[in-house]
Amino acid sequence: MTSLAPLYAAYPAFFLATIFLLGLIVGSFLNVVVHRLPIMLERGWRRQCQELAGKSTEHADRYDLMAPRSQCPSCGHPISALENIPLISYAWLRGKCRGCGKPISWRYPIVELTTGLLSLAVAWRFGLGNATLGALLLTWALIALTFIDYDHQLLPDNITLPLLWLGLAFNVGEVYVSLPAAVVGAMAGYLSLWLVYQMFKLITGREGMGYGDFKLFAALGAWLGWQQLPLIILSSSFIGAIVGVGGILLMGRDRTVPIPFGPFLCAAGWVALLWGDTITRAYLQFARF
């Protein structure tokens, strides 16, 4: 990275533009992850259940993040490379399938643009270096987890567990925090929400959250250290409460329908990644008065 520092210093706009375009491309791939990973997991669970029941598993066509080729869910029209250019293809097709003319979900360009903009913010914040590389990987994983949890109330181990180990790996070199702070952060992140879960279940007899939330919070602790956990949990709980109450009062949402907590954890974790230290210092300075 150090050999590229003079190039970055001379052409920072080129670096930022490159990261933004990379974010758009990754966002297009994240759309595939958000759609297919839950289906892949469900198929795997069904296959395991059949094997445990002693039933023969039927041979199924390959289905993963690479195959089969993307196609329109309505008519099966294969999506060509020209129809899969981030943002541009959606505008060119005017938000409609080229085969059947049915509307294409707004979700696709939203995810692409969000990924591009958040990637740009990460590059602007950290500059050229390992911190940007790690922050980009964390950002992309949080985006995928946000939309998967919103759709299915599921935070897959396939993402949260590798994310936890990756955070520890980056902090071996103290990219964000010291390794002891990262290890304690992972432990405290998991145990704190696990204890809240057990207490809520003991008092109400119901489950207030899923184990995926524990693992996601542990992963954030592994990346950002135990010092950022209070900021993340307080801000995510506050925003979640506002959204929940607002949904009930303004939109008539059924209060018995659970609200996924993962998106709020992801949002608070990303803010803490970029500005956690600044927010904490500002709060401590304000609290002195």
Side-chain angles (χ1 to χ4, degrees), residues 55-285:
K55 299 180 181 179
S56 59
T57 57
E58 299 180 359
H59 175 73
D61 295 333
R62 176 184 173 185
Y63 189 89
D64 52 36
L65 299 181
M66 300 300 175
R69 183 177 173 180
S70 297
Q71 59 186 19
C72 173
S74 298
C75 68
H77 168 70
I79 307 300
S80 66
L82 291 177
E83 296 171 316
N84 206 26
I85 302 173
L87 298 184
I88 296 177
S89 293
Y90 188 86
W92 172 53
L93 294 171
R94 298 181 180 179
K96 297 180 180 180
C97 172
R98 190 177 182 182
C100 63
K102 290 189 176 181
I104 301 172
S105 173
W106 56 267
R107 167 76 66 82
Y108 298 107
I110 289 295
V111 172
E112 293 166 355
L113 182 59
T114 299
T115 308
L117 292 176
L118 296 190
S119 300
L120 177 62
V122 164
W124 180 275
R125 168 66 176 82
F126 292 106
L128 183 67
N130 292 331
T132 294
L133 174 61
L136 286 174
L137 295 175
L138 176 58
T139 298
W140 298 339
L142 292 179
I143 292 172
L145 289 170
T146 293
F147 285 97
I148 291 175
D149 199 31
Y150 178 80
D151 289 340
H152 303 280
Q153 296 189 7
L154 171 69
L155 294 169
D157 289 351
N158 308 56
I159 300 178
T160 56
L161 296 184
L163 196 63
L164 187 154
W165 291 110
L166 193 60
L168 294 177
F170 268 91
N171 284 323
V172 168
E174 299 188 356
V175 175
Y176 303 101
V177 294
S178 67
L179 183 58
V183 173
V184 174
M187 296 169 58
Y190 188 92
L191 289 175
S192 59
L193 287 191
W194 181 85
L195 288 173
V196 171
Y197 166 87
Q198 295 296 341
M199 292 176 61
F200 183 86
K201 187 176 182 180
L202 181 64
I203 295 173
T204 66
R206 296 183 291 112
E207 296 182 354
M209 62 181 67
Y211 278 68
D213 297 312
F214 315 161
K215 298 168 189 175
L216 173 57
F217 200 34
L220 293 173
W223 281 87
L224 307 178
W226 62 268
Q227 298 91 335
Q228 296 297 334
L229 293 182
L231 171 64
I232 294 173
I233 195 63
L234 288 175
S235 56
S236 60
S237 299
F238 178 72
I239 297 173
I242 292 178
V243 172
V245 173
I248 294 173
L249 297 179
L250 301 179
M251 302 177 61
R253 180 185 177 91
D254 187 351
R255 65 182 61 193
T256 62
V257 176
I259 299 176
F261 189 49
F264 305 115
L265 276 178
C266 289
W270 188 82
V271 171
L273 169 68
L274 268 66
W275 303 291
D277 291 336
T278 302
I279 295 173
T280 301
R281 284 195 300 268
Y283 171 77
L284 291 176
Q285 185 175 3

Side-chain angles (χ1 to χ4, degrees), residues 45-55 57:
W45 297 331
R46 288 183 176 180
R47 183 167 58 251
Q48 291 174 6
C49 291
Q50 290 177 343
E51 292 174 353
L52 290 174
K55 299 180 181 179
T57 57

